[in-house]
Amino acid sequence: MIEDLFANDESLPRQWQENLAPGAVILRGYATEYVPALFDMIMALSKAAPFRHLRTPSGHTMSVGMTNCGDLGWISDELGYRYTPTDPETGQLWPPMPALLRQLAEDASSAAGYSGFNPDACLINRYYPGSRLTLHQDKNERDMSQPIVSVSLGLPAMFLFGGLTREQTCKRFPLTQGDVMVWGGPSRLNYHGVMPLKDAIPPSPAQESVRYNLTFRRVSAI
């Protein structure tokens, strides 16, 4: 099982870097110390902008629940994929990005070799067992010079990371709570996704059987 890959192995440091591809790394355990605060923030943000299951332009309902915080939020409907400054369900601005989230994203980006990251959008995904994210590219952003930063919380998941075409073979990387992925440069437009989430015992007894993912992006050109 995914959660067994790193469990009970005292020889592994709490934090270390794993290379995925040129310009792409996993910072293992980088966000571990912030987990309780991150969960609290997700709960607060989702009260202001509730999770919802978006529909793709082709009419498919996504299995992953989603909400946003920051200056812009990512949405999908029959009109296409895009970013908006307001939540279409409430007509209100998306909740501001908490300072801790912004700082975590900036620090992780710098640790991965991308200094000066300035995210203006944070997508919050919620996966229940069985949820998945199909292979896709993050290409709705205007500024492709800055990386993607992704923080994993809750249940472990298997991440797929491919190449610049959908046909290229994907590598599988297990992600556990506190792991942070950063990719940019030559890997900025690589296809990626998440395999169907398996049910498992949560990392903490206080947590439910769910996975959350925080994805930070720079959308607007500077």
Side-chain angles (χ1 to χ4, degrees):
M1 297 178 66
I2 298 173
E3 62 270 21
D4 294 331
L5 294 178
F6 304 112
N8 302 318
D9 189 342
E10 296 181 356
S11 67
L12 295 175
R14 190 173 66 85
Q15 295 184 9
W16 78 99
Q17 180 171 308
E18 179 179 349
N19 295 323
L20 281 70
V25 301
I26 301 176
L27 304 175
R28 296 290 185 187
Y30 191 86
T32 300
E33 64 183 294
Y34 304 112
V35 165
L38 295 176
F39 268 98
D40 288 344
M41 290 178 186
I42 290 172
M43 297 304 104
L45 291 166
S46 63
K47 288 182 179 179
F51 284 101
R52 73 290 309 266
H53 292 270
L54 299 175
R55 293 183 67 82
T56 66
S58 62
H60 173 72
T61 298
M62 298 177 65
S63 64
V64 175
M66 181 177 293
T67 187
N68 298 274
C69 68
D71 296 336
L72 295 166
W74 186 87
I75 66 169
S76 173
D77 56 25
E78 67 278 3
L79 299 179
Y81 305 115
R82 62 195 184 281
Y83 288 92
T84 64
T86 57
D87 181 345
E89 292 196 1
T90 66
Q92 303 297 313
L93 294 173
W94 295 106
M97 190 184 304
L100 176 60
L101 295 190
R102 183 181 301 277
Q103 191 63 54
L104 173 60
E106 292 174 354
D107 290 348
S109 175
S110 181
Y114 297 98
S115 60
F117 182 47
N118 183 22
D120 56 5
C122 174
L123 286 64
I124 308 172
N125 288 345
R126 181 183 64 190
Y127 296 76
Y128 284 114
S131 299
R132 64 186 293 241
L133 196 61
T134 57
L135 284 178
H136 66 282
Q137 295 172 298
D138 293 337
K139 57 181 182 180
N140 299 123
E141 299 75 36
R142 295 176 183 170
D143 190 347
M144 295 291 177
S145 68
Q146 297 204 37
I148 304 292
V149 176
S150 177
V151 181
S152 291
L153 301 167
L155 293 183
M158 188 65 76
F159 189 82
L160 302 173
F161 198 73
L164 293 175
T165 65
R166 189 182 295 275
E167 293 71 29
Q168 288 182 259
T169 301
C170 290
K171 296 180 180 179
R172 299 182 179 187
F173 297 91
L175 295 175
T176 57
Q177 178 161 270
D179 289 344
V180 180
M181 286 191 58
V182 183
W183 69 93
S187 293
R188 174 60 178 75
L189 288 174
N190 281 29
Y191 277 87
H192 56 279
V194 177
M195 294 183 67
L197 189 72
K198 294 184 178 181
D199 201 359
I201 298 174
S204 168
Q207 297 175 11
E208 59 177 326
S209 294
V210 64
R211 174 182 187 256
Y212 291 102
N213 173 248
L214 305 171
T215 302
F216 299 88
R217 303 172 182 173
R218 178 70 198 183
V219 179
S220 302
I222 299 177

